[in-house]
Amino acid sequence: MSTEATDASRPTSVMEGTRAPKSTALGSRPFDPRRVPFYYGWVIVVAGTLGAIASVPGQTAGVSVFTDDLITTTGLTRLQLAIAYLVGTGSSGLLLGAGGRAIDRYGSRVVALGATLGLASTVLGLSVVGPMSTGLGVVVMSIGFGCLRFSGQGLLTLASRTMIAQWFDRRRGLVTALSSAFVSFSFAAAPALFLALIDIDGFRTAWRIMAVVLVVVVGSVVVVLYRVSPEAAGMEIDGRGRTAIPDEDGSDELANRPAPIIGTDADATRSEALRDVRFWALTIPVAALSSTGTAITFHIVDLGSELGMTDDEIVRIFVPIAFVSVPITLGTGWLIDRATPLTIAAAMAIAQIVMYPMVGLLDTAWGAAIAVITWGAAQGCFSALTSAAIPKVFGRRHLGAISGAQMSAMVIGSAIGPALFALVHSLTGGYRAALWISAIIPAVGLLLAVEGLRQHRRDR
């Protein structure tokens, strides 16, 4: 546990989540990870990364490909579908706190399997939608988007990230950064893959293929490879020391052992984290990028038109952003293992404060260069603050609940951002005012990060 964890002198209730989830008995099934000749955490990284990649049907990159088909099929206008997306995404964000607590209680394995089946059921259900009246269509699509975002963007992503963070301490930042780099590239490639699936036999068949893959492939990965934590599997975090290997007769079966304790009594509870300035210093910058980044992406073509740029010219910005963000993702992953995450939070906030006004100057060479660099820098800080920062600062015992609160803020932000930009555009006739307004939120995050750093220096 990092020295940045909450004060060890603070008493923690033994009844409040001090032991592993109820799924501890499954730690040795269908095979015992202690029999693997290397630290099983590396298998967890691969499995968790695949799980996060599988969430793409519920991510903005995956949903956007089907927008035109849904408009044509349901008879809803683009605005009405956007309203349904706002309602569904916002509702899913409100429920994610409960999802995070479920991870602490039942484990990432159980929750990820439920999320996978839920995501498969949702895309299968959406594949049969047809023409509807406006009122019914908005209600049906709000429910559909809500289930899609909650199971995919929310639970499956959260369960997979939380599981990876549970298995590493010393190299948690670097490991989660590597995982996030693969996920980012996969998300970037997903729209092209989904369009190819649509070309086979329409959007309905594409979603049905996804449902089968989710159940058969991803479900199998979750059932066979996912494990709650090293303690629940009878191991030590980071592979430290030696762990007992079960006898051939199964006398060391984990199911016959009491549930092990995860984390330490110094680990913060969800309510304690929410009262800590450091939680908000770590959360506000990522929530701000989720909100404004989604809004810019959602309105990118219209923004390009406002700036006098063609569709091809404006969408090209995402390629250099990816090239900037990947090395910074790896760098911040390395840094967070050695320094306080508050430094990264402050850097991410500063990058956004500069980036948002510069997006309004993408039609100039210097404005585009600064926007690409700062957007890539902000995106590069994202993984460290959403995967490694929370367990480093607040511990692992209530990791699901605390990470769920952070994820909830991000999802709600991603629902509000596009609507805010549309509102400002309708009032002012452009997006520049929305970009300047958006810079206020990371500025607040920067102030909180500075206060957190001040407290950190004082407590050392």
Side-chain angles (χ1 to χ4, degrees):
M1 176 67 195
S2 166
T3 56
E4 289 186 27
T6 39
D7 189 354
S9 63
R10 175 185 53 75
T12 300
S13 170
V14 175
M15 296 299 293
E16 189 176 3
T18 58
R19 294 193 177 274
K22 294 180 180 178
S23 56
T24 297
L26 300 177
S28 60
R29 301 171 187 166
F31 66 90
D32 196 315
R34 291 175 294 176
R35 292 191 180 278
V36 175
F38 53 87
Y39 180 51
Y40 192 74
W42 296 109
V43 177
I44 290 293
V45 173
V46 175
T49 300
L50 291 175
I53 292 172
S55 73
V56 71
Q59 303 283 351
T60 302
V63 176
S64 61
V65 176
F66 296 87
T67 300
D68 289 342
D69 287 308
L70 288 173
I71 291 172
T72 302
T73 301
T74 61
L76 297 176
T77 66
R78 188 172 298 274
L79 176 59
Q80 291 164 348
L81 194 68
I83 291 172
Y85 193 70
L86 167 64
V87 173
T89 302
S91 300
S92 70
L94 294 175
L95 296 173
L96 275 176
R101 292 190 291 272
I103 291 174
D104 288 333
R105 183 174 183 182
Y106 301 106
S108 291
R109 191 188 206 180
V110 172
V111 173
L113 180 60
T116 301
L117 297 177
L119 184 57
S121 299
T122 301
V123 296
L124 188 62
L126 287 173
S127 73
V128 301
V129 297
M132 292 174 280
S133 64
T134 299
L136 179 62
V138 170
V139 171
V140 169
M141 293 311 302
S142 294
I143 295 173
F145 284 142
C147 293
L148 202 64
R149 303 288 274 171
F150 179 69
S151 58
Q153 182 196 27
L155 275 189
L156 185 53
T157 303
L158 180 61
S160 301
R161 284 178 178 171
T162 299
M163 179 181 66
I164 294 174
Q166 286 281 15
W167 278 79
F168 289 88
D169 182 17
R170 290 193 303 260
R171 289 170 289 189
R172 183 185 290 127
L174 184 58
V175 166
T176 55
L178 289 170
S179 174
S180 295
F182 279 102
V183 172
S184 296
F185 277 116
S186 299
F187 281 9
L193 174 61
F194 289 177
L195 285 173
L197 289 177
I198 292 173
D199 288 340
I200 294 174
D201 190 30
F203 80 97
R204 300 182 192 277
T205 298
W207 261 332
R208 289 164 187 169
I209 292 173
M210 290 182 203
V212 172
V213 172
L214 283 167
V215 172
V216 176
V217 179
V218 182
S220 297
V221 169
V222 172
V223 170
V224 175
L225 300 180
Y226 272 44
R227 294 296 188 277
V228 172
S229 67
E231 293 90 345
M235 306 175 74
E236 295 184 45
I237 192 168
D238 289 331
R240 299 168 183 163
R242 297 180 62 84
T243 54
I245 301 297
D247 299 330
E248 293 299 327
D249 62 2
S251 59
D252 189 48
E253 182 65 36
L254 289 176
N256 299 323
R257 296 183 172 188
I261 294 175
I262 293 178
T264 72
D265 289 340
D267 294 353
T269 64
R270 179 180 182 272
S271 60
E272 290 167 338
L274 292 179
R275 294 194 300 268
D276 194 317
V277 68
R278 295 174 299 176
F279 174 82
W280 297 106
L282 298 173
T283 298
I284 287 179
V286 295
L289 187 61
S290 294
S291 177
T292 307
T294 300
I296 295 171
T297 303
F298 193 88
H299 297 287
I300 190 67
V301 173
D302 199 29
L303 173 63
S305 177
E306 178 185 324
L307 297 175
M309 303 172 67
T310 66
D311 294 355
D312 289 339
E313 288 173 340
I314 191 67
V315 298
R316 284 182 200 150
I317 187 177
F318 295 111
V319 176
I321 287 172
F323 279 103
V324 173
S325 68
V326 169
I328 293 179
T329 295
L330 298 176
T332 54
W334 174 86
L335 179 62
I336 203 170
D337 290 329
R338 294 160 175 79
T340 171
L342 295 169
T343 302
I344 299 174
M348 184 177 185
I350 292 171
Q352 290 180 80
I353 293 170
V354 177
M355 162 198 161
Y356 296 154
M358 291 299 102
V359 170
L361 297 172
L362 286 174
D363 54 335
T364 66
W366 64 273
I370 297 174
V372 165
I373 293 171
T374 52
W375 194 337
Q379 190 65 48
C381 296
F382 192 88
S383 171
L385 297 183
T386 55
S387 300
I390 296 298
K392 180 170 185 179
V393 175
F394 300 109
R396 297 166 54 228
R397 184 164 293 177
H398 305 281
L399 180 56
I402 300 172
S403 296
Q406 185 186 55
M407 177 70 80
S408 180
M410 291 161 52
V411 173
I412 293 173
S414 71
I416 295 173
L420 173 64
F421 270 53
L423 175 62
V424 173
H425 184 273
S426 68
L427 295 175
T428 66
Y431 292 105
R432 283 193 173 93
L435 290 166
W436 281 99
I437 292 172
S438 297
I440 296 173
I441 305 302
V444 173
L446 177 60
L447 293 176
L448 293 176
V450 170
E451 174 61 19
L453 285 168
R454 187 186 66 81
Q455 292 184 12
H456 176 68
R457 288 193 295 268
R458 182 191 63 196
D459 295 339
R460 291 184 65 176

